[in-house]
Amino acid sequence: MNQGLAALLRQIGDTRLPPVDKWNPPHCGDSEMRIAADGTWFHQGTPIRRPEMVRLFSRILRREADGGYVLVTPVEKLDILVEDAPFVAVAVESEREGRDRRLGFRLNTGDAVIAGPENALRIEDGEAGPRPYVHVRAGLDALVARAPYYELVAWALEEEGDPPGLWSGGVFFPLGAM
């Protein structure tokens, strides 16, 4: 097994997220936080420089039924502005080929996700070209950064599929825009 993917799988196994989907506290206002399109987290207009703080906040992030985002604890719920996707997939690891392939993504928060039935990879048309995303959890997506996207494209071209795409976790993901 690829050491990078093995490390991602261990990391996923070690991840215990709080049960934010079960918490329903009263709405308390605006957190004065935003996540920029490049994945940078801000509070009151100032970038949050401590990765540990970003990771902590990312674990209590939830997508609401109306499409908005909140930071939620057992006792309060605060709005947070998300410009594009709340996470960025900054690296990708691949194991095997063809239908047996598994793709693991490392996120800017230090978390990881394996593309498959629960974590779909999709491409959307953007003004500046394709915008690849991978589903992370409960309505939260990660924008796939340029370098890992180019790796995905290179692997897809090597496999010469029609349409170009990749398998991961038993699911075929076309790399064309939807």
Side-chain angles (χ1 to χ4, degrees):
M1 179 185 297
N2 181 314
Q3 284 293 45
L5 191 57
L8 286 178
L9 289 169
R10 279 193 305 278
Q11 183 177 349
I12 291 168
D14 293 340
T15 301
R16 289 195 185 104
L17 295 169
V20 297
D21 59 321
K22 293 177 177 38
W23 295 339
N24 292 303
H27 185 265
C28 298
D30 189 344
S31 68
E32 298 184 42
M33 294 176 67
R34 85 179 157 93
I35 305 171
D38 69 358
T40 303
W41 288 60
F42 290 85
H43 180 255
Q44 296 181 334
T46 302
I48 300 174
R49 303 262 185 234
R50 293 186 53 208
E52 300 84 6
M53 291 299 294
V54 169
R55 185 172 171 86
L56 173 69
F57 287 127
S58 75
R59 293 173 156 313
I60 60 169
L61 182 66
R62 180 172 80 191
R63 185 97 185 248
E64 297 288 87
D66 67 3
Y69 296 87
V70 293
L71 297 173
V72 63
T73 71
V75 297
E76 67 181 354
K77 177 170 46 173
L78 299 165
D79 294 325
I80 180 171
L81 175 66
V82 177
E83 292 180 355
D84 186 357
F87 306 107
V88 177
V90 296
V92 63
E93 299 284 341
S94 176
E95 166 185 271
R96 302 187 205 122
E97 294 180 359
R99 290 179 180 260
D100 296 325
R101 185 184 299 272
R102 289 197 306 173
L103 298 167
F105 295 88
R106 186 174 311 279
L107 308 181
N108 61 322
T109 57
D111 292 313
V113 64
I114 304 295
E118 302 291 318
N119 303 97
L121 178 63
R122 74 180 191 288
I123 311 295
E124 294 181 2
D125 270 333
E127 290 180 20
R131 306 274 303 164
Y133 296 90
V134 63
H135 181 73
V136 176
R137 67 179 182 269
L140 302 176
D141 293 329
L143 174 68
V144 178
R146 185 177 309 222
Y149 175 61
Y150 287 163
E151 287 184 77
L152 294 172
V153 169
W155 293 328
L157 292 175
E158 285 175 9
E159 292 196 1
E160 299 178 347
D162 186 24
L166 293 169
W167 288 85
S168 184
V171 178
F172 182 76
F173 298 108
L175 290 185
M178 305 299 234

